[in-house]
Amino acid sequence: MGSAAVAGLAFAVGALTVLTAQQRKHGALRLRVGCTEPSVHQQNTTLIAQQRLQFDMLSKAMDDPDLAAVLDTFDVALAPRTLRQYLFANAVYTNALLFWRVGNFTWEEVHGHLRLICQNPVFRSYWEATRPHRASLLDASDEARMGRMVDKLIRDLEEADTDDWWVVGEPPCE
């Protein structure tokens, strides 16, 4: 083999070595980024799993007054039936929040869904009873934003001059 061929082979081996090292480095970086920045799919999967766990716990509490007592954080004593209703209202609200977070509802769709939910007097009572619970939410959080939407919907519905509740209130900008 001539010196030019040997030099070419040495160059190719060197280039492949550098390329392999770079690929390993990039692969390690991709793994690190993948571990620190979960994909939207992973985030949604986690949110859905957490929602399932929360609903399972709420369901057990709705079925068992002893467990419901653990979740009774209201300022006034509630009848067991009312507490179960409030726990279910919480499940309905957090389900709407989850649907919006994972993209099953647009902001306008969640507004329409919540407008329907706000028609229910039990939900409205629950909402008022949990006002102190929402006071500590970070203003920019998803739940605080949605809570402000519900507050406005309830005000708009109470002030409406029409029985056509489905046309009351404008969805806030997302």
Side-chain angles (χ1 to χ4, degrees), residues 71-133:
L71 298 176
D72 187 351
T73 58
F74 299 95
D75 292 337
V76 297
L78 299 175
R81 177 177 186 241
T82 302
L83 180 56
R84 283 192 310 274
Q85 290 173 329
Y86 282 14
L87 294 175
F88 191 77
N90 175 265
V92 169
Y93 171 73
T94 56
N95 188 58
L97 177 64
L98 174 71
F99 265 48
W100 174 68
R101 281 179 168 164
V102 300
N104 287 353
F105 280 163
T106 64
W107 194 240
E108 291 78 20
E109 288 170 327
V110 80
H111 180 266
H113 182 71
L114 290 170
R115 181 171 41 204
L116 172 65
I117 292 169
C118 289
Q119 291 301 301
N120 184 282
V122 175
F123 180 82
R124 288 165 96 146
S125 177
Y126 154 79
W127 194 254
E128 185 57 37
T130 57
R131 184 168 305 286
H133 300 171

Side-chain angles (χ1 to χ4, degrees), residues 7 33 47-48 56-57 163 165 174:
V33 168
L47 279 171
I48 291 166
D56 288 347
M57 289 187 303
D163 291 334
W165 59 265
E174 191 168 1

Side-chain angles (χ1 to χ4, degrees), residues 124-153:
R124 288 165 96 146
S125 177
Y126 154 79
W127 194 254
E128 185 57 37
T130 57
R131 184 168 305 286
H133 300 171
R134 292 185 300 281
S136 64
L137 294 173
L138 294 176
D139 197 47
S141 71
D142 289 344
E143 191 167 354
R145 290 179 63 218
M146 192 164 289
R148 287 189 299 273
M149 180 192 290
V150 172
D151 288 340
K152 184 170 181 343
L153 273 168

